[in-house]
Amino acid sequence: MRKPIIAGNWKMNKTPAEAVALVKGLIPLVADAKCDVVVCPPSVCLPAVAEAIRGTNVKLGAQNVHFAASGAYTGELSAEMLKAVGCEYVIVGHSERRQYFGETDKTVNLRATAAVKAGLTAIICVGELKDERVDGYTNAIVTYQVQMALKGLTAEELDHVVVAYEPVWAIGTGLTATDEQANETIGVVRRAIAAVYGDDAAQKVRIQYGGSMKGANVKGLMAQPEIDGGLIGGASLKAADFAEVVNF
Ligand code: 13P
């Protein structure tokens, strides 16, 4: 029904030469993947990686996008720029952007909208902090985050949206949500989408899990009915590790 999608978020790792070496190692290992495969290297690596993956089943994504078409936005990149260097995907609203760079639900909505309108697929990240889970606010938080992120988008535009549920306490910590926790909260995300767009539209949206996902836990997570893939940090930085996730 929904084709799984596994994406690697390389975060601030790899020079262009290192990035090319990584994808060249990866390409033969994932050539028979049954899921969509995406790599999201740092911006300076995008042109070199685009060249290296040409003609393969590995697709390119960026880690952020600005909402304006052009202008005085030092340090930012537009959707057209990302498309011009071969990107089909872009991560929006990663918790590290929210935590360290002042992203809000409003800017996440603006960035996601710009990406989708330009024809990129936005991988929109949502997820609760540890305290929010402990205090029982997980469902409220992820519902609000996803509905705010999608505000103004049409049901048709959801074809260009992937949601990544990444509990912040599971990112880079080695702590993974249990299969059941991840499935349950992704179900909440899907119901939040259904509340706005209807059940048919929500059933088509692919929702990934992210947070210490790796070869050792991918099978259990992917066996859950609501989980349509993964957004992988640490385990995407070595070809063999990422291939193990992709070939779950
Ligand atoms: P880790 O897989 O390193 O926990 O990172 C997850 C993540 O933040 C992907 O966007």
Side-chain angles (χ1 to χ4, degrees):
M1 237 213 348
R2 296 183 295 264
K3 187 176 185 192
I5 174 168
I6 305 281
N9 174 11
W10 297 5
K11 308 191 180 184
M12 197 174 72
N13 294 288
K14 309 290 178 188
T15 64
E18 291 166 346
V20 168
L22 173 49
V23 281
K24 285 201 166 149
L26 179 68
I27 288 164
L29 303 181
V30 300
D32 299 322
K34 287 172 193 66
C35 60
D36 287 339
V37 184
V38 182
V39 292
C40 303
S43 304
V44 292
C45 303
L46 292 170
V49 173
E51 182 63 33
I53 63 178
R54 193 185 305 273
T56 76
N57 60 329
V58 178
K59 304 297 179 199
L60 190 61
Q63 295 177 15
N64 196 13
V65 60
H66 196 260
F67 32 89
S70 63
Y73 300 102
T74 302
E76 295 283 330
L77 298 169
S78 73
E80 288 303 326
M81 292 171 187
L82 298 180
K83 275 172 41 183
V85 296
C87 290
E88 295 176 49
Y89 295 84
V90 60
I91 298 169
V92 178
H94 192 278
S95 65
E96 287 149 18
R97 301 284 327 160
R98 296 176 190 254
Q99 227 178 325
Y100 306 133
F101 304 102
E103 293 279 351
T104 63
D105 291 308
K106 177 73 187 164
T107 60
V108 172
N109 174 241
L110 290 169
R111 291 179 195 271
T113 301
V116 169
K117 302 265 181 220
L120 291 165
T121 293
I123 301 177
I124 298 171
C125 304
V126 301
E128 81 287 0
L129 305 172
K130 176 132 196 281
D131 284 352
E132 292 167 340
R133 176 163 284 269
V134 171
D135 292 343
Y137 292 114
T138 299
N139 295 359
I141 294 280
V142 299
T143 296
Y144 183 77
Q145 285 178 337
V146 75
Q147 290 181 345
M148 283 299 288
L150 298 177
K151 203 162 174 231
L153 292 179
T154 65
E156 291 70 41
E157 287 169 334
L158 290 186
D159 288 349
H160 283 277
V161 168
V162 171
V163 178
Y165 166 59
E166 300 204 304
V168 178
W169 49 270
I171 295 177
T173 56
L175 296 172
T176 322
T178 64
D179 301 344
E180 293 74 21
Q181 271 175 332
N183 188 64
E184 187 186 326
T185 309
I186 287 176
V188 171
V189 172
R190 197 176 303 287
R191 285 194 290 282
I193 299 171
V196 179
Y197 294 95
D199 203 42
D200 285 356
Q203 285 300 330
K204 287 192 213 137
V205 177
R206 295 184 292 180
I207 310 179
Q208 301 170 311
Y209 169 77
S212 301
M213 195 163 167
K214 50 186 182 282
N217 57 29
V218 63
K219 277 197 174 63
L221 288 160
M222 290 305 296
Q224 297 290 324
E226 294 286 2
I227 304 181
D228 304 319
L231 186 55
I232 319 300
S236 71
L237 295 174
K238 287 195 182 136
D241 293 352
F242 189 54
E244 204 182 335
V245 180
V246 167
N247 298 320
F248 62 92

